[in-house]
Amino acid sequence: MGSVYSIYSQMKFKDKNKAIKILQAKISRGEEEHTDYGLDTYRKSENLDINDIDDLIAVFIGIGRMFDIANDDNGWTTYSNGFDATYGWESVMMEMFEELAPVLEDGSDLFINCDDGADVLVIKDGKCIHEVASQEWLDHYMKTRMAPLEEK
């Protein structure tokens, strides 16, 4: 059994090299944390580069073909995806974001919507805060985050 996930995240890195090392370390602990990232098996054909921050983020939230990345002129990167995974994958994504907290700018966020509700993680004062996703919050979030991009 699994869950259907809808992921949306905006991240701005203070130090991408440190972020890369954090995520590489998390992946290297996969066996002891009982997490199969599939890099040597079912995801091998994706040719993910574990020295690239976007590919590393894809390891956690980029399962499947709907993974999308967009960068803006202010250094923010938006990641979005929809995929099926085990119920436990929600905690893997949340742990990834929590571990990145020291190298993310305030305002970076991770929105996870799945079968059992929504999780919202936001970086405030360098710490990862879990916010309650009320319907009002969700409506505002979707309105501000899903607005069409303006071409320059």
Side-chain angles (χ1 to χ4, degrees):
M1 284 289 308
S3 183
V4 176
Y5 294 96
S6 177
I7 311 299
Y8 189 83
S9 181
Q10 290 187 317
M11 297 185 205
K12 186 173 184 180
F13 298 95
K14 295 176 187 176
D15 186 329
K16 282 189 181 182
N17 290 327
K18 283 185 183 176
I20 288 169
K21 290 186 186 323
I22 289 168
L23 295 182
Q24 288 172 335
K26 176 107 180 108
I27 290 168
S28 72
R29 296 190 312 268
E31 190 171 327
E32 70 188 67
E33 294 178 355
H34 307 288
T35 303
D36 179 8
Y37 295 102
L39 297 176
D40 294 325
T41 55
Y42 63 94
R43 296 193 72 190
K44 192 172 187 170
S45 65
E46 294 177 46
N47 296 318
L48 295 168
D49 178 359
I50 62 163
N51 295 305
D52 178 81
I53 191 63
D54 292 334
D55 280 1
L56 282 165
I57 297 293
V59 169
F60 295 89
I61 65 172
I63 300 166
R65 291 191 163 91
M66 293 177 55
F67 185 61
D68 190 40
I69 303 169
N71 297 293
D72 73 10
D73 293 337
N74 297 317
W76 288 90
T77 303
T78 301
Y79 302 97
S80 62
N81 198 12
F83 60 94
D84 297 332
T86 62
Y87 285 116
W89 203 256
E90 181 177 2
S91 63
V92 172
M93 293 183 284
M94 292 170 72
E95 289 169 5
M96 175 263 321
F97 195 75
E98 290 166 354
E99 290 191 30
L100 284 175
V103 296
L104 290 174
E105 294 284 346
D106 284 353
S108 295
D109 59 23
L110 173 63
F111 171 76
I112 304 170
N113 193 12
C114 62
D115 298 349
D116 66 355
D119 291 293
V120 181
L121 301 171
V122 179
I123 303 300
K124 290 184 181 177
D125 299 322
K127 294 183 171 53
C128 182
I129 307 297
H130 191 201
E131 291 190 348
V132 176
S134 66
Q135 188 59 49
E136 180 182 25
W137 190 97
L138 289 170
D139 291 344
H140 174 57
Y141 185 88
M142 296 310 285
K143 181 180 175 186
T144 59
R145 299 299 199 269
M146 302 300 278
L149 296 174
E150 294 181 16
E151 298 215 14
K152 293 182 179 187

